[in-house]
Amino acid sequence: MHTRIPIVAATLALGVAALTPTALAQEALLTTSATQPGKGVWTLRSQARFTLRDSAPSGVMLAEDDPGGDESRYTLRNTISYGITGDLAAVATVPIVYRQIDDGPGGDSTDSFGLGDISAGFKWRFYKHDSSAIDTFRVALVGGVEIPTYADDLSSESFNPYIGIAYTLIRGRHGLGQSASYTLMTGSDEGFDRDYSADVFRFDTAYVYRFYPAAWEADSPGGHYFTAELTSEFSVTGDQEVHLTPGYLYEGREIAAEFGVSLPVWSDVEGRRETDVGIVAGVRFLF
């Protein structure tokens, strides 16, 4: 199934990743922000993701035990960040994955469970301009490497470096955030058991609007936000997908909660399964 909705209209509906004066420094659900914890501060983000994908395209090389049907994937992404300095943070993500593939009506299914590839890297905020207690503009460089776990059907089985950049712009109750990254896949392209077997470029845009409170007070416990994100992935083989994710974010001074639903906007996929829908929900803690 190919889904096409005018991208221009969707893009105009988007834009932003706001910061609040709370301790967590607000982030959108899927778009990397240019914020990180202060020096000596830890943050933990646990985010559950569900994705449903169509059957594999005809002619695509599959793994030996892949029956080729629809795929359901449940991922718990645990991300730990530590502020080395006020501008530099170390970041590590450990995903726990359950993957199930159907074998058509009345057929058996194949499943896998284990650790996906672990990401270890950094975020360096090299520019910051705060024009008020809330309004800010920040830019950060991100980079690192994906470390293989060699879990069957869940790992790329290769060390894959990545590099990217992110910015965050906040004006009053509105914010705009964008991030771009490139991942170099260094392993084999055999088998359909991986999200990507070739290099991938990702470009994301996020809009966040604080609908409550209308104005920050000294005793404000936290903020409630509407979020909208346009996330794009492009493989060098030509596969491409764009998704729109409306969502909700609550951010307090030491905890945050988030929820969103990803819907397809554009898809042109031949080398792997196409994503139909995704759901994301998570919590963040500050230590």
Side-chain angles (χ1 to χ4, degrees), residues 82-252:
Y82 175 72
I84 301 173
T85 70
D87 297 320
L88 178 65
V91 183
T93 299
V94 180
I96 303 172
V97 184
Y98 174 73
R99 179 180 187 239
Q100 183 179 65
I101 301 174
D102 294 331
D103 191 20
D108 295 330
S109 61
T110 300
D111 57 11
S112 304
F113 176 75
L115 288 179
D117 290 348
I118 297 170
S119 173
F122 69 91
K123 183 188 290 186
W124 172 45
R125 185 184 61 206
F126 61 87
Y127 180 82
K128 180 178 73 169
H129 175 68
D130 298 332
S131 54
S132 74
I134 296 177
D135 296 346
T136 188
F137 178 65
R138 306 182 182 195
V139 187
L141 182 70
V142 297
V145 63
E146 296 176 351
I147 303 170
T149 59
Y150 298 97
D152 290 343
D153 303 332
L154 303 177
S155 172
S156 68
E157 301 184 0
S158 61
F159 288 84
N160 307 314
Y162 62 89
I163 191 73
I165 193 168
Y167 82 83
T168 299
L169 172 67
I170 306 304
R171 291 294 181 267
R173 300 170 72 177
H174 306 270
L176 174 65
Q178 290 184 313
S179 63
S181 65
Y182 188 88
T183 301
L184 178 66
M185 304 295 290
T186 63
S188 169
D189 62 356
E190 297 180 358
F192 187 71
D193 54 341
R194 305 174 182 92
D195 289 336
Y196 287 99
S197 58
D199 298 359
V200 60
F201 172 75
R202 182 181 179 100
F203 181 76
D204 302 328
T205 298
Y207 172 78
V208 176
Y209 173 72
R210 189 183 74 245
F211 61 86
Y212 183 83
W216 283 107
E217 304 291 343
D219 58 350
S220 295
H224 299 264
Y225 300 84
F226 163 77
T227 67
E229 297 178 75
L230 196 66
T231 56
S232 310
E233 291 184 330
F234 305 93
S235 168
V236 296
T237 61
D239 290 345
Q240 53 188 278
E241 287 189 313
V242 181
H243 287 82
L244 174 65
T245 305
Y248 162 78
L249 168 67
Y250 167 78
E251 188 169 69

